[in-house]
Amino acid sequence: ENAGYLCRLTDVTGVEVADEGGNLHNLLLALTESNINVDYVYLSFNRDSGKPIMVFHTEDIMEVRSCLKSRGYTVL
C-alpha cells in the first residue's frame, strides 16, 4: 500500500489432478452437478508430486471442499 499498490487476500481452493486431458472438464462438471459456480480458475504445479493443481475461487469454500472430497479429489 505504501508503494501505491492495492492488495487483497482472497481464499481459493486447490485441487491436485492427474496430468490428463479432460480433468478440468470433469472437475467443473462435479461442481456444476452440485450447483456450485466458479468465479475464476488458474493452474499451478506441485513440484513434489509433479501433478498440476487447479486453483479456483467460489463463494463457499467449505461446500466445494466437501463436494470434491466426496468425489475422490485431492483438495489442498
Side-chain angles (χ1 to χ4, degrees):
E1 290 178 351
N2 292 338
Y5 295 104
L6 177 63
C7 298
R8 180 177 166 191
L9 297 178
T10 304
D11 292 327
V12 294
T13 302
V15 179
E16 189 174 75
V17 296
D19 190 8
E20 300 171 355
N23 278 336
L24 175 59
H25 171 76
N26 294 333
L27 178 68
L28 294 176
L29 187 59
L31 295 174
T32 298
E33 290 171 354
S34 295
N35 217 18
I36 298 171
N37 293 320
V38 175
D39 297 323
Y40 57 84
V41 63
Y42 57 90
L43 181 66
S44 188
F45 185 72
N46 185 336
R47 292 180 188 197
D48 294 331
S49 70
K51 293 184 178 180
I53 300 172
M54 300 307 300
V55 181
F56 52 95
H57 180 265
T58 60
E59 288 183 21
D60 189 344
I61 289 178
M62 296 312 291
E63 180 182 7
V64 170
R65 291 178 66 84
S66 176
C67 167
L68 295 177
K69 281 186 175 185
S70 72
R71 295 171 190 255
Y73 285 96
T74 302
V75 180
L76 307 174

